[in-house]
Amino acid sequence: MAPHPESGLATTAVPLPAWQAPDDWSPMSETLDRQPGAELSTLPGAAILRRTRSLLYCALGTGFVYSVLSVASKGGCSGGVTGDGGFIDADGRPTEVAPYCVDVTMRPSTIVYLAIAIIVLVAITRVLRRADSEAAAFRMLDRAAILLVAVTAIWLVITHVSFWMIPIDQWDGGSYFPLPFTFGAVDVEISPIRLG
């Protein structure tokens, strides 16, 4: 409030109606002139989009770590090689037939990648269909991230335990290796022992 220049009475500034406003004024001018913060977008739902992006990063990172940690191998031979270049069988007796060796290799399983993708898609679908607030959407996405990490970790432990329990020492040295039930993807290769 400011005193009137003639009467000395206090007056209050009244904004002009839109039809009397200056030509460069518009109802959205104040909003458009305000710069959005660097950390938060003014786009509606931006916070949910960022949390969804974090879920995707978590899924990609979990898949990468699983790819690295789910690779293992072990092997053994049913005989060996003598010092003069001959062969011995599993009982240590000389033989002219090259004994067999078996190599067992564990590799990443497609099931895990499918599980990660399904968890992400189900979480996003639930947010679109059931989330009635931003907090509810956050809970769904966070639980999905925890679930996919837990499922991958549990599967990784189970596959390693079952892989290292494969009884290679009980193999009879034949051309067939009876692979027991094993979680994960396991490849078996049998070949004659190599000299040198």
Side-chain angles (χ1 to χ4, degrees), residues 31-148:
T31 302
L32 294 176
D33 293 339
R34 184 186 303 125
Q35 297 297 326
E39 298 180 357
L40 183 63
S41 171
T42 57
L43 178 69
I48 297 178
L49 288 177
R50 281 195 299 273
R51 192 63 63 93
T52 304
R53 182 184 62 183
S54 299
L55 175 61
L56 294 176
Y57 286 161
C58 178
L60 292 175
T62 302
F64 175 75
V65 172
Y66 170 75
S67 300
V68 175
L69 299 181
S70 61
V71 177
S73 64
K74 64 178 181 176
C77 298
S78 59
V81 181
T82 61
D84 56 1
F87 301 107
I88 56 176
D89 59 18
D91 297 325
R93 295 172 299 189
T95 179
E96 296 181 356
V97 180
Y100 284 105
C101 294
V102 59
D103 292 311
V104 184
T105 304
M106 182 177 69
R107 54 183 173 80
S109 175
T110 307
I111 296 177
V112 176
Y113 300 118
L114 289 176
I116 292 175
I118 290 173
I119 291 174
V120 171
L121 292 176
V122 170
I124 295 175
T125 302
R126 290 189 65 212
V127 168
L128 293 175
R129 292 182 177 179
R130 300 184 181 181
D132 54 2
S133 66
E134 190 176 85
F138 285 174
R139 285 194 299 270
M140 293 178 185
L141 295 173
D142 292 345
R143 289 171 182 172
I146 295 173
L147 179 62
L148 69 86

